[in-house]
Amino acid sequence: MLAAVVNGFGGPERVELAEVPVPRPAAGQVRIRVAAAGLNPVDGAVRAGVFGGDGQQLGLGWEVVGEIDGTGPGVTGWSRGDRVVGLHYGAVKPLGTHAEYVVLDATAVAAAPAAVDVLAAAALPLAGLTAARAVEQLGLAPGSSVLVTGAAGMVGGLAVQLAARAGLVVTALAGPGDEEFVRSLGAAAFVPRGGAPAGAVDGVLDAAVLGGPALALVRDGGVYVGLIPHHAPAAERGIRVEEQEVAPDGELLAELVALADAGALTLRVSEAFPLAEAAKAHERLATPGVRGRIVLTA
């Protein structure tokens, strides 16, 4: 089969298609015939060597939507032909979801959305699980105030929606032209990039990775949740500082699918490219101002 890989670090030109063996599902795993797979900033970081793996052929891709084409021993609840979405966690791996087939643990997948097209479904697993886990880590009671930075991005936009559904009063920090959009997602207030809310907030979900400047906007004894492990600012003023690292979670993903099917989550796709044009898709990923997920189709 064909898979998008890198054999050396650098720019989009390092992405190539390679012929690799079709993977076989082991015990507790399912094999998925890929229909579409999201392209994320983390894939660009893998390509650039941020996570290491020098000297190895590295696969790309974390998100997938497709059809189960085989199951390993011990798998129950899934059958050949089932349409699923899933998260393939890990930056340094020989094969990712940017391929014609991929193997995942059965616990990492959920039934694919029925009311959302395949491209939009491919935009859900990574951003959705990241946002949902971050909102949960805030641990704030309904009525509490939360600032979501990077609120017009994929993770930030989903975080705004999920936080508002949890009863939090959301202030969205985004670009000046994004106010109407983030308010449509459920933000009660808007702050343009570089600005600050009128008063301190109970918590910050820092999707824009602002670090210290975002922490400064939290009240004493509040909470800060960062999305990149080992990049959170040092705690101060009694603020609880959390770092969220995404993980495969089929049960939580199923809850997000249900929200998407109910029309309660807005999933955005910027552009789709065939797998054969993976390098071109990476060029687009590097273009400033992309709104929505770039998707590769098998």
Side-chain angles (χ1 to χ4, degrees):
M1 71 169 189
L2 295 177
V5 301
V6 292
N7 284 290
F9 301 136
E13 74 283 353
R14 300 313 302 259
V15 178
E16 57 186 273
L17 287 184
E19 288 192 7
V20 301
V22 176
R24 294 184 178 183
Q29 294 184 322
V30 297
R31 182 170 62 203
I32 301 168
R33 181 186 293 112
V34 177
L39 175 64
N40 290 271
V42 68
D43 295 305
V46 171
R47 185 200 70 227
V50 171
F51 302 102
D54 191 23
Q56 304 175 45
Q57 179 169 286
L58 301 179
L60 300 166
W62 291 52
E63 301 174 292
V64 63
V65 58
E67 190 175 282
I68 291 179
D69 130 293
T71 60
V75 171
T76 59
W78 297 112
S79 302
R80 185 183 179 93
D82 289 343
R83 293 183 62 252
V84 295
V85 289
L87 179 72
H88 190 8
Y89 177 84
V92 180
K93 55 197 177 192
L95 180 65
T97 62
H98 297 169
E100 294 177 310
Y101 293 87
V102 66
V103 165
L104 297 183
D105 290 342
T107 56
V109 302
V116 172
D117 69 39
V118 68
L119 298 182
L124 177 62
L126 182 55
L129 287 171
T130 300
R133 288 164 60 91
V135 170
E136 183 178 1
Q137 274 187 283
L138 285 168
L140 294 172
S144 301
S145 60
V146 62
L147 175 71
V148 177
T149 71
M154 283 299 299
V155 174
L158 288 171
V160 168
Q161 296 172 74
L162 293 169
R165 283 188 61 84
L168 303 181
V169 180
V170 180
T171 296
L173 189 153
D178 293 318
E179 180 174 3
E180 181 178 353
F181 172 68
V182 296
R183 285 188 181 275
S184 75
L185 299 179
F190 172 77
V191 175
R193 191 179 298 120
V201 292
D202 296 315
V204 163
L205 193 158
D206 192 13
V209 198
L210 300 181
L215 183 75
L217 303 175
V218 181
R219 65 166 173 79
D220 294 357
V223 59
Y224 167 99
V225 176
L227 303 186
I228 299 181
H230 315 302
H231 280 73
E236 60 179 54
R237 298 184 287 112
I239 296 171
R240 175 170 54 90
V241 173
E242 299 275 352
E243 293 181 320
Q244 196 282 135
E245 183 170 4
V246 74
D249 187 334
E251 291 186 6
L252 179 55
L253 186 53
E255 294 177 16
L256 296 170
V257 167
L259 290 175
D261 271 340
L265 284 184
T266 297
L267 301 171
R268 293 170 292 155
V269 174
S270 169
E271 199 168 349
F273 295 83
L275 179 62
E277 296 182 4
K280 184 176 178 181
H282 275 253
E283 291 179 4
R284 180 71 177 116
L285 180 68
T287 304
V290 173
R291 285 288 185 262
R293 179 69 72 237
I294 297 169
V295 176
L296 294 177
T297 57

